Amino acid sequence: MSDWSRAVSASAKESAPPGTTSATRKAPEATTSGHRGLVLEEELLFEQGSPDLSGVDLPPVEAFADRLGSLERKAPIGLPGLSEPQVVRHFTRLSQKNYAIDCGLYPLGSCTMKYNPRANERVARLDGFAEIHPLQPAATIKGALQVIEDLAHWLEVLTGMPAIALSPGAGAHGELCGMMTIKAALESRGEERRRVLVAASAHGTNPASAATCGYEIEAVPSNEKGRLDLEELERRLGADVAALMLTNPNTCGLFEDEICEIAEALHRAGAFFYCDGANFNALLGRVRPGDLGIDCMHLNLHKTFSTPHGGGGPGSGPVALSAALAPFAPLPWLVHGEKGLCLREGRSPPAAQSIGRIKGFHGQFGTFVRALAYLMSLGADGLKGAAEDAVLNANYLRTRLEGTLSLSFPGMSMHEVLFDDRFLEGTGVSTLAFAKAMIDEGFHPMTVYFPLVVKGAMLIEPTETESKASLDAFVASLEALAQKARAGEAAFFHEAPRLAPRRRFDEVAAARHPVLRWRPKAAAENGG
Ligand SMILES: *Cc1c(COP(=O)(O)O)cnc(C)c1O
């Protein structure tokens, strides 16, 4: 019997918490098959597989002179033998157990996955884009170069910055690229600055990127308004500070309202201003980072500009650079030559000061196509509308929920709104348990316990594509759960989720005794 059916029968035996008898509280019956309704249960592929099954029919291998004799495998490697329908069914079932933006509201927002219009996917799959190869002769990829040129142009217009480095393969890679250009610019001035200041509310990748460049990291605390504390920043500035890394809107969903003063303070101290632009969804067409005094900012094409990226990829983290940093942009450079657009691969003028290559080939081309299709299909008014709707939806949730959950910082939020667990005080229900109960309600939980500057954080980003009806349904569930928590039903939350394909995992055991690799019995016996 599989783990799941064990979990079902175990929960069937659980007695209902005291004082609760309603039908919905009863644990589901176990079934003979272990399946539940149309939610099918199955074993892992490695448990299902058998050596005599195969998804392909190949003729037996004829005898041949083995030139790699010494490398010959001594024992089977233990891959499961599976038929084609088994594989198809397995992955289809897995996809059905997952929750996705295509199923319903996904309060993790653009930072994880907002709705990506299908038209952009369609464009990216056109043969002329999808089938080209980076090693094709330059004369045959003029269209692709034009896509890169047009995308860079529109990103420059949106950021108000003079140069875009398109090759970084993710947001964190963009941060690394940006910090490398800052380091190179400082070195060209003959300055060696050791420290990088990072907002305490920052995404963990910020300090990691700066540390990878060899910098010492120092955190700058937030003030009681959830913004960077300007006085604390000024206290830390000095001749050895290379840059500040700040997110705007910050990870509390708030616009850094002293951002121009922050930029001035940094520039007075000879430091650069790095802005984490992963939250650009809120600013599109409304605010140009270049106007705020920002020197360097990465954008996450896969977050803001329509590339599905759940499950780890593909990503793209273009970096917008100020005039002072542009000469250090990574290779290759797209330049207007005698024969039109061409790629400059080496450190020859105008790219003599470039930090060099940071990625193979030319970046994630498929995300460029999707981003350009998104930009062009929405147009200037549509992009601005998307940012406005993202902010409107977050503020609608704020006003609907501020009497129910605890709002962390008063006033207008940007594209996401931050609550915390004070409303659960004395109920015995934790942020985590509350989030798990949302799964039973049919909602993916919001981001919990981040940002770290707020205790028991619950961060909600609905994004621009949710309707009022879907936001209202979300609010209704949160209100009902909050009421249940206040009514002393802590046990209900401790058992959540009860209705999902899997119950709550033992996260401590998973961390303490991780099973990182499945070793099929046959391979283990063969010493494989
Ligand atoms: C997602 C994110 C990053 C990192 O981007 P990746 O593409 O995941 O590497 C950095 N900062 C913030 C605020 C983010 O949301």
Side-chain angles (χ1 to χ4, degrees):
M1 212 200 279
S2 69
D3 280 352
W4 183 71
S5 39
R6 269 199 293 276
V8 170
S9 34
S11 66
K13 278 188 240 110
E14 280 164 13
S15 53
T20 57
T21 49
S22 85
T24 54
R25 304 294 306 278
K26 242 177 85 190
E29 293 296 324
T31 58
T32 323
S33 59
H35 305 318
R36 198 169 130 211
L38 297 179
V39 181
L40 301 189
E41 184 51 33
E42 67 174 354
E43 297 177 301
L44 299 176
L45 282 184
F46 284 101
E47 292 165 329
Q48 288 181 39
S50 97
D52 45 304
L53 277 180
S54 170
V56 287
D57 289 322
L58 295 174
V61 183
E62 285 173 26
F64 63 98
D66 186 357
R67 289 181 293 127
L68 300 173
S70 59
L71 294 176
E72 196 185 342
R73 224 183 277 292
K74 302 286 183 293
I77 57 172
L79 291 177
L82 299 157
S83 69
E84 184 177 320
Q86 257 182 315
V87 174
V88 170
R89 287 177 177 169
H90 173 73
F91 286 103
T92 304
R93 281 173 197 153
L94 276 190
S95 76
Q96 289 169 339
K97 280 181 188 153
N98 216 343
Y99 188 84
I101 184 68
D102 293 342
C103 302
L105 187 143
Y106 203 75
L108 304 181
S110 64
C111 257
T112 297
M113 179 79 91
K114 71 175 188 180
Y115 178 74
N116 301 297
R118 291 300 185 273
N120 310 321
E121 195 59 38
R122 183 118 190 234
V123 175
R125 289 180 189 194
L126 293 175
D127 283 354
F129 293 132
E131 301 287 320
I132 54 172
H133 192 279
L135 293 179
Q136 263 176 242
T140 67
I141 55 162
K142 292 284 180 201
L145 295 185
Q146 193 63 50
V147 166
I148 295 176
E149 165 79 355
D150 288 352
L151 176 62
H153 169 75
W154 289 117
L155 295 182
E156 283 166 15
V157 169
L158 286 169
T159 56
M161 293 173 76
I164 299 280
L166 274 167
S167 59
H173 197 205
E175 292 170 25
L176 180 67
C177 171
M179 293 313 294
M180 286 169 74
T181 59
I182 286 174
K183 194 169 188 180
L186 289 168
E187 277 168 9
S188 82
R189 295 200 315 223
E191 288 177 31
E192 208 186 320
R193 294 174 173 240
R194 289 180 302 113
R195 278 190 303 148
V196 166
L197 307 178
V198 177
S201 58
H203 195 269
T205 50
N206 289 190
S209 300
T212 305
C213 283
Y215 286 112
E216 282 167 32
I217 314 300
E218 192 173 332
V220 184
S222 307
N223 60 24
E224 72 290 344
K225 285 163 40 208
R227 272 87 172 178
L228 189 86
D229 193 318
L230 186 55
E231 274 178 30
E232 292 284 348
L233 170 69
E234 282 177 334
R235 197 168 303 156
R236 285 166 176 77
L237 281 174
D240 65 339
V241 171
L244 166 76
M245 297 182 86
L246 181 68
T247 310
N248 190 39
N250 67 24
T251 55
C252 301
L254 302 170
F255 194 86
E256 289 285 348
D257 44 18
E258 290 182 305
I259 195 157
C260 295
E261 290 81 353
I262 290 171
E264 281 162 25
L266 286 165
H267 293 153
R268 266 198 309 275
F272 285 100
F273 188 1
Y274 187 101
C275 185
D276 179 331
N279 291 342
F280 201 49
N281 212 44
L283 306 184
L284 278 176
R286 293 293 309 218
V287 177
R288 294 187 307 176
D291 298 341
L292 305 176
I294 287 158
D295 297 298
C296 186
M297 181 170 107
H298 76 266
L299 303 166
N300 291 45
L301 295 189
H302 49 295
K303 291 181 178 176
T304 311
F305 297 95
S306 190
T307 287
H309 65 285
S316 185
V319 183
L321 298 167
S322 66
L325 293 176
F328 305 94
L331 294 171
W333 282 29
L334 194 59
V335 293
H336 289 268
E338 281 166 17
K339 293 186 203 151
L341 284 174
C342 62
L343 287 167
R344 190 62 56 85
E345 304 277 353
R347 275 203 191 90
S348 52
Q353 289 182 292
S354 165
I355 56 168
R357 265 194 177 275
I358 57 160
K359 190 172 191 320
F361 300 120
H362 317 114
Q364 301 278 26
F365 184 69
T367 64
F368 300 168
V369 178
R370 289 179 182 88
L372 185 60
Y374 183 69
L375 287 167
M376 304 207 62
S377 58
L378 283 185
D381 55 337
L383 285 171
K384 206 167 146 196
E388 288 170 353
D389 287 350
V391 173
L392 178 66
N393 277 354
N395 280 284
Y396 179 69
L397 287 184
R398 175 176 63 80
T399 49
R400 288 286 322 269
L401 286 169
E402 63 190 343
T404 305
L405 314 178
S406 329
L407 187 65
S408 301
F409 300 104
M412 191 53 195
S413 67
M414 295 299 289
H415 63 307
E416 53 193 353
V417 54
L418 181 60
F419 297 98
D420 57 61
D421 66 0
R422 282 168 294 151
F423 74 102
L424 293 171
E425 226 167 76
T427 61
V429 178
S430 65
T431 293
L432 182 76
F434 191 84
K436 296 290 184 196
M438 289 170 67
I439 299 174
D440 284 339
E441 289 284 322
F443 289 106
H444 193 289
M446 67 286 264
T447 301
V448 292
Y449 300 116
F450 182 86
L452 304 176
V453 290
V454 167
K455 185 189 149 290
M458 300 180 175
L459 183 62
I460 304 178
E461 181 184 349
T463 80
E464 62 274 14
T465 48
E466 290 309 322
S467 65
K468 179 171 177 296
S470 90
L471 297 178
D472 285 340
F474 183 65
V475 167
S477 277
L478 290 181
E479 283 173 346
L481 288 175
Q483 203 175 3
K484 227 180 193 47
R486 281 194 294 267
E489 297 200 38
F492 173 86
F493 290 88
H494 295 151
E495 285 168 26
R498 333 167 112 244
L499 307 175
R502 288 286 183 277
R503 303 294 301 275
R504 201 182 301 190
F505 293 108
D506 185 343
E507 289 168 13
V508 175
R512 291 250 167 99
H513 311 288
V515 180
L516 298 177
R517 193 165 175 194
W518 177 263
R519 257 162 66 105
K521 235 171 121 209
E525 278 160 11
N526 283 325

